[in-house]
Amino acid sequence: MNPILSWALPLALCMLALAMLCTMIRLIKGPSAQDRVLALDCMYLNGMLAMLVLGLIDGSSHYFEAALLIALLGFVGTTAMAKFLLRGEVIE
């Protein structure tokens, strides 16, 4: 592994964990439902990026597939939550 990547990838993983912690605080304390939906979307994004960093560290393609699933489920979940907040129902 490249010497720069050997310290940059664990640092990126720590930063993503810190971002997930801050997002968790926003998810718990969020004053409105919109803030909580945005925090949940940010957690999906941070989780997906953490999976990509783990895939780069480990060199396995399984993490990339998991990241793809997290991205897909995050998009669907966020869209459903936003639609519920706007219209009060998900399926018309």
Side-chain angles (χ1 to χ4, degrees), residues 7-91:
W7 63 267
L9 291 177
L11 179 67
L13 203 55
C14 290
M15 298 292 239
L16 286 170
L18 181 65
M20 288 180 88
L21 180 69
C22 292
T23 305
M24 180 66 79
I25 292 170
R26 174 53 65 193
L27 187 66
I28 293 171
K29 291 179 63 177
S32 67
Q34 289 84 4
D35 289 333
R36 290 188 170 113
V37 169
L38 283 175
L40 192 63
D41 190 39
C42 190
M43 282 193 76
Y44 278 125
L45 182 68
N46 288 333
M48 179 192 70
L49 292 175
M51 284 290 161
L52 290 177
V53 170
L54 285 173
L56 287 174
I57 289 173
D58 195 34
S60 173
S61 65
H62 298 296
Y63 289 107
F64 296 108
E65 294 169 3
L68 183 64
L69 283 176
I70 289 172
L72 182 66
L73 293 175
F75 173 74
V76 170
T78 302
T79 304
M81 295 285 258
K83 192 171 179 181
F84 179 75
L85 288 176
L86 284 176
R87 299 182 183 169
E89 58 184 323
V90 176
I91 299 173

